[in-house]
Amino acid sequence: MKSRKIAKRIGRAGQMAREKALASGQALKGPRGWIVVGTLAAYATLGTSQPALAAIGGKAEPGAVGTAATLPLKRFDIAAGPLDGAIAEYEKITGIKVKVVLPSGTLAGFTTQGVHGLYREDEAMQMLLKDTGLNYRTEDATTIAVGVQASDTVSVTASAADSVSMDKFTEPLLETPQSINVVPNFVLQDQGVSTLRDTLRNVPGISLAAGESGAQGDNLTIRGFTARNDIFLDGIRDFGSYYRDAFNYEQVDVLEGPSGVQFGRGSTGGVINQESKVPGASQFVHVDTQFGTDLNRRLTLDANTPLYPEMGGTAFRVNMMGQESGVAGRDGAEIRRFGLAPSVSVGLDDKTHATLSYEHLTADDTPDYGLPWQFNHLSGANRHSYFGFADENYLKTNDDILTLKVQHDFRPGLNIHTTARGANYPRQVQITESQICSNASQSVPVGTVVSALPTLAYNSTIACPYDANTPASEIGVVNRNQIQVKSVETDLWDQTEIAADFKIHGIRNDLVAGVEGGQETSNPIRYSYSQPYTSSSGATGTINSVPYTTLLDPNEAQPFSGNGYISSVVHTKADSTGIYFVDTMKLGHLFELSGGARWDYFNADYHVYTPVVPTSSAPAAFVSLSRLDKQPTYRAAFVYKPSSHGSVYFDWGTSFDPDAESLSLSAGLVNGNVKPEENETYEGGAKWSFLNERLMMEGAVFRTEKDNAHETDPTNSNDIVAAGNQLVKGVQLSVVGRLPEGMDLVAGYAYLDSDVIYSQFFPAAVGYPLANVPKQTFNLFVTHRLPWRLDGGLGGNYVGGRTASSTVPYVPTSYAPNPNGAGYIVTSVAMKQVPGYWIFNAMLKRSLGEKFDFQVNVNNLLNRYYIDLPHPSHLIPGAGANAQFGLNFKF
């Protein structure tokens, strides 16, 4: 009886397989066809959890399922025809070995519809095998097997990222003469990363900083120079003041070194590009849930489905995110965010294809500006102290970004593409910044006579009664400076590029030329709670109308009070245009020579209204100014390729930073005639790949010098000159890999030597390091397959000590009366810096079948107390030890 049931199951499975082949026009004729059908029927009968493996003789690899979304896009141009020839072309494009597990000669009976366009490796293989009755399975890191299978497709093992999505880069990363660090999606998944800020901890040469008073959100430096306005989203500047979430990231690209030709203004140390997830040909649904300490709850959804095959390849994808959590070790701080990112692509199989995407991100956080400085070091405040008003502090952003990209391929190697964007970035902010004494306006050497002692930050008519050694228990006055802003930034932009390869006198050229332009606006309304004040002795100054608190016992539940007023109403509009090209010439198989140029037009109009300050006799004021900059930038590079697996290069480039670069700082435009900062970078390096591009390594030495650095006179904030010079030189190494046995690796090291080499207003700063530039940084995270279907990960970060200011690197710490007259003599000084730190993180993941896995991430394992985000006026500690537990679903 049992044998007859098995026979019937074999017969039904065989009939279904043959009908499928016949329906697709690929009838399996003769003995070979019946061999294939019999193979399928036999393994369909087994009903095991891994029928595909059995059918092609593969070996199970835990964790191999579900990696499709992390694979990089590659361009395929494989014509319809015999399948064996198409597979050979696929091997050339991807570097993956395809092993055919069929009787000898069987493959010659199959044909394919081909594949054309940008696809992941797994998507391209699916399209090649469409309607053939065949399928594939990963065998190891560099090999897949094709055969007759009775299960759904399992994705090809992902390689280390070897490309970026921006068409302005025509060469693979291995041959691109620039330090480019790609943080792929699998790294974000392993580490449980949820923000851009945490993503960038995997990149050497980047250091993070606290938000500024006028602009909140992600703030950082790249190779020693501020990059707050050098953040891009799919190749277009994303300058909104908000904290970016990683829920819609395919990967994050960090391009360090010369970038001015491709990206325009700014980009002194480099740029950051966020690559969004886009629709593809495969269907999947991923749901990730995360719960943890500090009341963390996070849910993300990533769903993709192909639509309407008759329309030439249409697909829809949606990503969603919701999160609520506290911050470990920081009482009062809370995170509440929601994100939605739908996108649709049409014409995936056609020469003309387009993607329309929309991203909405809402945040309603209780922000944290941390702890106060005590002259040159962190005060003795409790690590958990929150100096704000938990019920009155807020950071509300409501960002909307709509992007349309259209591309037409005239032929392989020739296309034109345009990207249009409209973005709106509203924000409302009220944040409390704790302060003890007023900041030193400049560094003064020992023996210098100063006219007055530091004053209380709360009341500038009172000399500060504390010094650098005052115990925390004796500091009874801590100012609560209120940063209150209501603003809307907007961006309307278009970028059109043509990419072409051609030959001139037998020399192949890869050219990208483009034109871009648009309008950016910023409209901040700022508030103040500082009132003019005259002391009983007749001294004049300001006093904060918000009540002060104490260092050891701040009361976050205290009702907020204070007399606030509008201090300024600003409208800044910048019209920009950029024209550029980059050409790469292939001088045989060993050498490449590239060069490019750009011309930028940047016209900024600035208007500020200053109302009457209550209790002051000063009249209202209105200032309207404009600044026009027309600036060229250049780039040149040489590449030597001693092997198909590596390259050695030299790169040179320039960039510039105009007065109104950020559209948020008004002081730089008050005199209206400050010329742009000019930057020049030299870089030499090498890149190498191993294990068929599964392991990518690169290293570089570099030198960047900034001329005409803008400086503000410490005695007159309206007097700004372009008279400073700054220098950063260093070494950088990085490794990213997806290795056999489930081993993933990301590591990096950077050594940065930064100096102020000339300063008109701050000569005492010459020879000291730039702000927020650690001498050394190191990052490492390794995951590996373990017994019992487990994957484990372990890693850490080291960040060296950092100064808080480039112009005031050290401050006076003690004084004595001047015996020769008025004033005080500085008797000691100290560096104003935060110490370096190590932190360690761990991960453990357990597969619960093909569709589920359970993951635990523990961050800051040793519960280190460290300053993560420094600022000249406040210090934000890093999160304490915390654990996140996730259950992930893949359908």
Side-chain angles (χ1 to χ4, degrees):
M1 178 67 68
K2 185 175 181 180
S3 61
R4 286 198 296 270
K5 290 182 179 179
I6 293 175
K8 288 181 180 179
R9 290 177 62 185
I10 293 174
R12 285 196 300 267
Q15 181 63 25
M16 290 172 63
R18 185 166 179 83
E19 288 175 356
K20 181 176 180 180
L22 290 170
S24 66
Q26 301 295 333
L28 304 176
K29 299 179 182 180
R32 286 184 301 184
W34 286 112
I35 290 174
V36 173
V37 171
T39 304
L40 173 62
Y43 290 108
T45 303
L46 297 179
T48 66
S49 62
Q50 297 174 344
L53 292 175
I56 62 173
K59 182 178 180 181
E61 285 195 24
V65 179
T67 60
T70 70
L71 293 174
L73 296 175
K74 292 188 176 181
R75 184 170 297 280
F76 293 87
D77 188 21
I78 302 177
L83 182 58
D84 51 359
I87 286 179
E89 287 296 314
Y90 176 90
E91 290 178 321
K92 291 179 182 178
I93 295 171
T94 64
I96 295 173
K97 175 64 177 177
V98 179
K99 184 170 68 174
V100 178
V101 188
L102 289 172
S104 177
T106 302
L107 191 61
F110 292 87
T111 60
T112 178
Q113 299 177 7
V115 55
H116 304 273
L118 286 171
Y119 296 99
R120 300 193 310 262
E121 294 168 350
D122 62 316
E123 293 176 338
M125 179 54 71
Q126 290 175 13
M127 297 177 73
L128 285 180
L129 300 181
K130 184 178 179 181
D131 296 330
T132 63
L134 302 177
N135 220 319
Y136 69 90
R137 170 71 192 193
T138 300
E139 194 162 87
D140 57 38
T142 60
T143 308
I144 64 173
V146 169
V148 181
Q149 302 179 28
S151 72
D152 294 335
T153 299
V154 180
S155 67
V156 180
T157 299
S159 63
D162 60 354
S163 64
V164 296
S165 64
M166 295 174 290
D167 296 285
K168 60 183 74 212
F169 293 91
T170 60
E171 311 306 314
L173 297 187
L174 197 64
E175 300 174 15
T176 301
Q178 184 173 2
S179 292
I180 301 180
N181 290 272
V182 174
V183 185
N185 189 267
F186 72 81
V187 173
L188 309 186
Q189 292 177 342
D190 287 346
Q191 297 180 2
V193 165
S194 61
T195 64
L196 174 64
R197 186 170 62 190
D198 288 338
T199 299
L200 296 176
R201 299 183 195 277
N202 293 288
V203 180
I206 287 185
S207 49
L208 306 175
E212 300 174 359
S213 59
Q216 291 66 50
D218 298 306
N219 192 23
L220 61 140
T221 61
I222 301 179
R223 287 187 175 176
F225 297 97
T226 181
R228 188 193 167 279
N229 298 293
D230 298 325
I231 301 174
F232 289 73
L233 178 63
D234 298 320
I236 303 292
R237 194 181 305 273
D238 179 33
F239 72 92
S241 294
Y242 69 106
Y243 290 102
R244 294 157 178 84
D245 196 278
F247 79 102
N248 195 36
Y249 287 170
E250 191 66 56
Q251 64 185 39
V252 174
D253 314 317
V254 180
L255 299 92
E256 301 183 69
S259 303
V261 169
Q262 291 96 335
F263 293 95
R265 73 178 194 264
S267 64
T268 307
V271 301
I272 295 161
N273 182 57
Q274 310 156 87
E275 290 193 20
S276 300
K277 296 175 180 177
V278 295
S282 59
Q283 183 165 342
F284 59 83
V285 177
H286 295 169
V287 179
D288 295 346
T289 62
Q290 192 178 75
F291 301 91
T293 57
D294 308 292
L295 299 178
N296 180 53
R297 293 96 65 199
R298 180 178 172 92
L299 174 68
T300 61
L301 165 71
D302 183 2
N304 183 86
T305 183
L307 302 169
Y308 312 118
E310 65 276 7
M311 294 177 61
T314 300
F316 173 77
R317 189 169 185 174
V318 62
N319 281 266
M320 297 180 65
M321 176 276 300
Q323 179 177 1
E324 289 190 5
S325 73
V327 178
R330 296 298 302 144
D331 296 348
E334 293 183 358
I335 296 171
R336 294 174 290 271
R337 295 173 188 170
F338 170 76
L340 174 66
S343 57
V344 60
S345 293
V346 297
L348 292 175
D349 300 334
D350 296 337
K351 291 185 176 181
T352 301
H353 41 279
T355 298
L356 177 66
S357 62
Y358 166 70
E359 182 167 328
H360 173 79
L361 185 62
T362 297
D364 185 4
D365 299 345
T366 301
D368 178 19
Y369 263 28
L371 308 174
W373 284 97
Q374 188 173 339
F375 289 90
N376 67 305
H377 59 84
L378 176 66
S379 68
N382 186 289
R383 173 181 183 176
H384 303 277
S385 294
Y386 185 78
F387 287 88
F389 302 88
D391 294 332
E392 296 291 337
N393 288 158
Y394 53 82
L395 172 56
K396 300 178 181 180
T397 57
N398 195 32
D399 307 305
D400 296 286
I401 304 170
L402 182 66
T403 306
L404 173 65
K405 181 175 181 179
V406 181
Q407 177 168 318
H408 177 74
D409 298 316
F410 296 98
R411 60 167 175 81
L414 177 62
N415 70 77
I416 186 171
H417 47 272
T418 185
T419 304
R421 172 170 297 162
N424 193 57
Y425 306 96
R427 60 188 166 106
Q428 296 185 56
V429 178
Q430 182 170 315
I431 303 175
T432 300
E433 179 183 59
S434 57
Q435 304 168 332
I436 297 176
C437 295
S438 57
N439 285 321
S441 61
Q442 56 186 319
S443 295
V444 289
V446 171
T448 301
V449 176
V450 296
S451 60
L453 297 173
T455 60
L456 275 178
Y458 174 72
N459 186 340
S460 67
T461 67
I462 301 176
C464 183
Y466 316 119
D467 59 31
N469 299 313
T470 302
S473 59
E474 297 181 13
I475 298 179
V477 179
V478 174
N479 183 45
R480 286 166 157 169
N481 177 45
Q482 297 303 299
I483 299 169
Q484 187 172 352
V485 183
K486 183 178 181 180
S487 183
V488 177
E489 279 74 48
T490 67
D491 184 17
L492 189 63
W493 201 261
D494 183 82
Q495 179 185 95
T496 300
E497 295 177 323
I498 184 168
D501 62 41
F502 54 90
K503 286 187 176 182
I504 298 179
H505 301 298
I507 299 176
R508 179 183 167 185
N509 290 253
D510 288 337
L511 172 71
V512 173
V515 58
E516 62 179 332
Q519 186 177 95
E520 301 159 284
T521 67
S522 180
N523 303 279
I525 301 173
R526 296 189 176 93
Y527 297 77
S528 177
Y529 288 81
S530 293
Q531 306 282 353
Y533 177 75
T534 302
S535 69
S536 58
S537 64
T540 59
T542 60
I543 187 171
N544 189 0
S545 62
V546 177
Y548 64 81
T549 187
T550 62
L551 186 63
L552 292 185
D553 190 25
N555 182 8
E556 66 186 60
Q558 180 180 357
F560 176 81
S561 63
N563 299 317
Y565 58 91
I566 295 176
S567 59
S568 66
V569 179
V570 176
H571 172 67
T572 306
K573 180 183 72 173
D575 296 315
S576 307
T577 302
I579 303 172
Y580 56 95
F581 78 90
V582 178
D583 185 34
T584 300
M585 294 180 289
K586 307 295 181 67
L587 307 177
H589 297 292
L590 296 179
F591 303 101
E592 293 180 2
L593 183 65
S594 63
R598 181 184 180 111
W599 180 83
D600 278 287
Y601 171 97
F602 186 75
N603 186 20
D605 292 317
Y606 168 80
H607 311 275
V608 59
Y609 170 68
T610 305
V612 174
V613 177
T615 71
S616 172
S617 59
F622 180 80
V623 175
S624 182
L625 296 169
S626 63
R627 170 73 191 184
L628 173 62
D629 291 299
K630 302 176 183 179
Q631 188 83 7
T633 50
Y634 305 99
R635 181 171 185 173
F638 177 78
V639 179
Y640 169 55
K641 299 184 294 183
S643 165
S644 61
H645 302 292
S647 66
V648 180
Y649 67 89
F650 174 79
D651 193 14
W652 167 84
T654 66
S655 64
F656 76 103
D657 300 87
D659 247 354
E661 176 188 0
S662 66
L663 276 74
S664 62
L665 300 177
S666 61
L669 285 174
V670 171
N671 58 24
N673 61 1
V674 181
K675 60 183 178 180
E677 298 174 328
E678 297 181 346
N679 316 295
E680 185 175 35
T681 296
Y682 298 88
E683 178 179 314
K687 303 183 180 184
W688 224 265
S689 70
F690 303 90
L691 300 176
N692 201 16
E693 297 186 358
R694 262 52 189 178
L695 180 68
M696 301 285 290
M697 303 180 66
E698 66 174 65
V701 295
F702 57 88
R703 183 186 191 275
T704 300
E705 183 171 348
K706 177 185 287 290
D707 295 329
N708 304 328
H710 292 175
E711 294 185 342
T712 303
D713 188 334
T715 63
N716 179 8
S717 62
N718 291 339
D719 185 10
I720 296 176
V721 298
N725 294 84
Q726 300 170 350
L727 173 67
V728 177
K729 52 189 176 181
V731 178
Q732 183 174 315
L733 305 169
S734 63
V735 180
V736 178
R738 300 219 74 177
L739 307 176
E741 301 302 324
M743 183 176 179
D744 294 341
L745 167 68
V746 56
Y749 170 80
Y751 176 87
L752 302 179
D753 182 12
S754 65
D755 292 285
V756 176
I757 56 178
Y758 178 77
S759 175
Q760 176 175 319
F761 288 137
F762 305 93
V766 173
Y768 283 88
L770 304 183
N772 195 34
V773 184
K775 184 78 73 174
Q776 298 185 80
T777 57
F778 173 76
N779 64 276
L780 171 69
F781 199 83
V782 181
T783 62
H784 199 280
R785 186 165 302 142
L786 302 174
W788 305 298
R789 301 178 69 184
L790 292 170
D791 289 283
L794 184 65
N797 291 80
Y798 171 75
V799 178
R802 292 168 283 173
T803 61
S805 171
S806 298
T807 52
V808 190
Y810 64 92
V811 296
T813 55
S814 63
Y815 304 83
N818 180 14
N820 301 318
Y824 302 86
I825 297 176
V826 176
T827 57
S828 65
V829 297
M831 287 287 292
K832 188 176 183 180
Q833 64 180 351
V834 296
Y837 64 87
W838 278 96
I839 57 170
F840 300 95
N841 308 310
M843 180 273 291
L844 191 65
K845 181 163 55 178
R846 174 66 155 81
S847 175
L848 303 177
E850 291 188 355
K851 297 182 179 180
F852 302 91
D853 62 66
F854 177 73
Q855 181 171 329
V856 179
N857 287 86
V858 181
N859 303 309
N860 194 359
L861 279 167
L862 303 180
N863 198 28
R864 290 285 176 81
Y865 178 27
Y866 65 99
I867 297 302
D868 186 31
L869 307 175
H871 185 272
S873 298
H874 61 272
L875 298 164
I876 301 179
N882 63 92
Q884 313 301 328
F885 306 87
L887 184 61
N888 306 320
F889 308 82
K890 303 173 183 179
F891 304 99

